[in-house]
Amino acid sequence: MSDTETVNSLEELATVATPVEVAAPVYVQKLDAQGRAYATGKRKDAIARVWIKPGAGRITINGREFETYFARPVLQMILRQPVNAVDRATQYDIVATVSGGGLSGQAGAVRHGISKALLAYEPDLRPILKKGGFLTRDSRVVERKKYGKAKARRSFQFSKR
């Protein structure tokens, strides 16, 4: 049956249509000349550049140990989440530079960058990282202030007189 003929019944359609298998995307390891994996993580106004290389599990942020840069235990826990989820806490050294935003946004940006860099180094970790929600960029940002309002949504105090 040629391409210009019309199909008039389901039986004819079964002979024409051939199932096409769509191959799943293949993820490959991406390393630079020094053998490091690089990724950019973002959260709110913070942007983190993250490099991962084999090592003893040290995490350095802006040239300082991450325990001193992020003093709050909650922020430290956020940073460790992706490497703990894939059981690689002592296998990689992580170097990150982060700028913009506050500490909470920076911790989220570094976490996002670590997750993406782990994926670039070991593509087989994708199902675990995806299931944990570490590869998804949290797109929530601060709402802008509108004119005629005290803040983004708050109105000025009403007074009858």
Side-chain angles (χ1 to χ4, degrees):
M1 193 178 273
S2 68
D3 292 338
T4 58
E5 295 180 37
T6 58
V7 178
N8 297 322
S9 68
L10 290 175
E11 290 79 24
E12 291 178 21
L13 182 63
T15 61
V16 172
T18 56
V20 178
E21 291 186 24
V22 178
V26 178
Y27 297 97
V28 294
Q29 186 182 45
K30 296 184 189 112
L31 301 179
D32 62 5
Q34 288 87 21
R36 304 174 301 182
Y38 169 78
T40 304
K42 296 182 180 182
R43 170 86 169 90
K44 293 187 178 179
D45 275 341
I47 299 174
R49 299 182 302 163
V50 179
W51 290 269
I52 286 185
K53 62 182 178 183
R58 293 173 39 111
I59 301 176
T60 308
I61 297 170
N62 290 352
R64 293 159 48 190
E65 290 296 319
F66 84 106
E67 287 95 352
T68 58
Y69 193 86
F70 294 115
R72 280 188 270 161
V74 173
L75 300 179
Q76 295 174 15
M77 182 260 311
I78 286 173
L79 240 63
R80 288 193 199 105
Q81 280 178 333
V83 288
N84 288 342
V86 295
D87 295 326
R88 303 286 194 276
T90 58
Q91 293 183 16
Y92 295 115
D93 283 345
I94 300 168
V95 177
T97 59
V98 63
S99 63
L103 284 178
S104 176
Q106 287 186 351
V110 173
R111 179 181 99 155
H112 186 227
I114 289 172
S115 307
K116 286 171 61 177
L118 277 171
L119 182 66
Y121 204 93
E122 285 188 68
D124 299 336
L125 298 177
R126 184 173 176 82
I128 301 167
L129 292 170
K130 186 82 173 159
K131 188 169 187 269
F134 301 120
L135 298 177
T136 306
R137 195 259 202 242
D138 191 350
S139 61
R140 296 176 296 171
V141 292
V142 178
E143 190 174 346
R144 77 172 193 90
K145 184 196 176 300
K146 280 77 169 187
Y147 58 87
K149 297 281 188 180
K151 294 174 18 180
R153 297 188 179 194
R154 192 200 182 306
S155 297
F156 294 108
Q157 181 173 342
F158 175 74
S159 174
K160 203 171 216 178
R161 292 186 214 335

